């Protein structure tokens, strides 16, 4: 849904008081974005010093109060806590009578859809799952990054337009995700984004070990081009020794990694195997070159089984 396709004004949520339960990196940024859209943050809960600092920076003058009091003050409550904490939090808020009929409860978990809020729904709340597909820093730059950010949206059919309108007001692009598809959707994002951070960090460490003074400057243009090519062309963008079938080069890589960074070998082998499979399936890796390459990936360089099993 494009931001040019705005819902009818009658489907947009009225100006709301906003509360945040869990002042991690996500909640204060979303509340600040809603404030820019005309809503009014009125309460936030946070326990750690870091949470309190984030709340003070992004939501100045908004009082820090216990979670139950956040719900008392707010029409729209953002539940921005870790995935494993969310079900217990919802149950606890309902059991203590904190949830009010007609209150909008929004969680930002990628894993869960709206059903995790069923206890609150039975108490009369209006459940929405709005997950921003974005990495957060806990600083004001996060509010800017929400512009054009996709949100995975799951909600009861009668609340779909309200959910999409809230996303659009935050500058985001709503993408409807079926309840049963939420774990797969979240796994896809984790595979692409979280694992990318690990790969880049490992690559920078290895470049430093190789004597490169500014690995970030070296990697920036390369990774930017690789990402752009992958988004445009998919598997056709594959390059490098695995896609070419250069078994000797891959064997040399594995030998060097075993010597200098053995903790990276398992990841290298696993990603190289996945790359080889995709290159073969798309006709990029010649079958006659694949046998030696797959032998290296299966056995390492010294005839023993690789770390990735």
């Amino acid at each position: 849904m494009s931001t040019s396709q705005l819902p009818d004004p009658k489907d947009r949520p009225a100006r709301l008081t906003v509360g945040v339960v869990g002042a991690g990196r996500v909640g204060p940024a979303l509340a600040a974005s809603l404030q820019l859209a005309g809503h009014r943050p009125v309460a936030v809960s946070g326990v750690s010093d870091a949470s309190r600092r984030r709340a003070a920076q992004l939501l100045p003058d908004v009082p820090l109060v216990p979670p139950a009091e956040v719900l008392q003050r707010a029409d729209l409550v953002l539940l921005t806590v870790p995935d494993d904490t969310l079900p217990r939090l919802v149950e606890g808020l309902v059991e203590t009578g904190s949830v009010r009929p007609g209150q909008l409860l929004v969680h930002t978990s990628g894993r869960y859809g709206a059903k995790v809020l069923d206890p609150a729904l039975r108490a009369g709340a209006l459940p929405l799952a709005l997950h921003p597909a974005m990495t957060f820093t806990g600083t004001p730059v996060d509010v800017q990054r929400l512009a054009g950010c996709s949100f995975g949206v799951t909600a009861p059919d009668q609340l779909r337009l309200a959910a999409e309108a809230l996303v659009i007001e935050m500058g985001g692009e709503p993408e409807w995700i079926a309840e049963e598809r939420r774990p797969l959707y979240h796994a896809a994002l984790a595979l692409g984004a979280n694992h990318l951070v690990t790969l880049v960090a490992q690559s920078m460490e290895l470049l430093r070990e190789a004597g490169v003074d500014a690995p970030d400057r070296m990697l920036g243009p390369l990774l930017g081009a690789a990402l752009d090519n992958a988004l445009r062309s998919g598997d056709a963008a594959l390059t490098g020794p695995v896609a070419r079938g250069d078994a000797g080069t891959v064997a040399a890589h594995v030998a060097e990694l075993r010597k200098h960074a053995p903790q990276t070998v398992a990841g290298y082998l696993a990603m190289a195997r996945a790359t080889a499979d995709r290159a073969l399936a798309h006709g990029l890796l010649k079958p006659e070159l694949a046998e030696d390459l797959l032998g290296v990936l299966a056995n390492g360089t010294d005839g023993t089984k690789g770390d990735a099993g």
Side-chain angles (χ1 to χ4, degrees), residues 74-95:
D75 303 315
L76 165 62
V77 179
L78 301 171
L79 304 179
T80 52
V81 298
D83 291 358
D84 289 350
T85 304
L86 181 62
R88 296 194 302 274
L89 172 65
V90 174
E91 292 170 0
L93 292 173
V94 171
E95 289 170 0

Side-chain angles (χ1 to χ4, degrees), residues 199-289:
L199 290 172
V200 172
Q202 287 184 339
S203 182
M204 288 199 295
E205 289 173 355
L206 293 171
L207 285 172
R208 289 191 191 98
E209 178 72 13
V212 175
D213 291 330
D216 53 341
R217 190 168 65 233
M218 178 176 283
L219 284 174
L222 172 64
L223 297 183
L227 177 60
D228 184 63
N229 291 342
L231 292 175
R232 291 173 182 272
S233 304
D235 288 298
L238 281 172
T239 63
V242 172
R244 292 192 298 266
D246 291 341
T249 298
V250 172
H253 288 177
V254 175
E256 285 299 295
L257 293 177
R258 288 190 189 281
K259 184 187 306 182
H260 296 285
Q263 73 279 5
T264 67
V265 173
Y268 180 96
L269 290 172
M271 290 303 299
R273 288 169 188 152
T275 300
D277 289 343
R278 298 189 74 89
L280 268 172
H282 289 82
L284 301 172
L285 174 58
K286 296 178 180 179
E288 61 270 22
L289 298 177

Side-chain angles (χ1 to χ4, degrees), residues 49-214:
D49 290 340
S51 294
R52 292 172 179 270
R53 284 194 299 270
R54 277 190 291 267
Q57 184 178 27
L58 288 166
L59 301 171
D61 303 322
V62 175
L64 279 159
V65 299
E69 191 170 342
V70 173
L71 271 73
Q72 290 173 11
R73 298 187 182 197
D75 303 315
L76 165 62
V77 179
L78 301 171
L79 304 179
T80 52
V81 298
D83 291 358
D84 289 350
T85 304
L86 181 62
R88 296 194 302 274
L89 172 65
V90 174
E91 292 170 0
L93 292 173
V94 171
E95 289 170 0
T96 57
S98 301
V99 177
R100 293 186 281 110
Q103 191 169 45
L104 283 163
L105 282 191
V106 177
H107 79 70
T108 59
S109 166
R111 169 186 172 188
Y112 291 109
K115 285 190 178 300
V116 72
L117 298 173
D118 275 355
L121 175 64
R122 291 191 289 270
L126 306 177
L128 308 175
L130 307 180
H131 174 253
M134 177 54 61
T135 183
F136 288 80
T137 64
T139 66
V141 72
D142 296 333
V143 180
Q144 302 169 22
R145 286 179 173 173
L146 289 174
C149 167
S150 292
F151 279 67
V153 177
T154 306
D157 287 343
Q158 62 270 30
L159 295 176
R160 179 167 179 164
L161 287 176
E164 292 176 342
L166 282 171
V167 170
I168 290 170
E169 287 193 326
M170 287 186 281
E173 296 278 355
E175 184 72 35
W176 190 256
I177 307 294
E179 181 79 31
E180 66 276 10
R181 296 289 186 175
R182 292 287 292 208
L184 179 62
Y185 151 81
H186 196 224
L189 295 180
L191 183 67
N194 302 154
H195 296 174
L196 175 63
V197 173
T198 300
L199 290 172
V200 172
Q202 287 184 339
S203 182
M204 288 199 295
E205 289 173 355
L206 293 171
L207 285 172
R208 289 191 191 98
E209 178 72 13
V212 175
D213 291 330

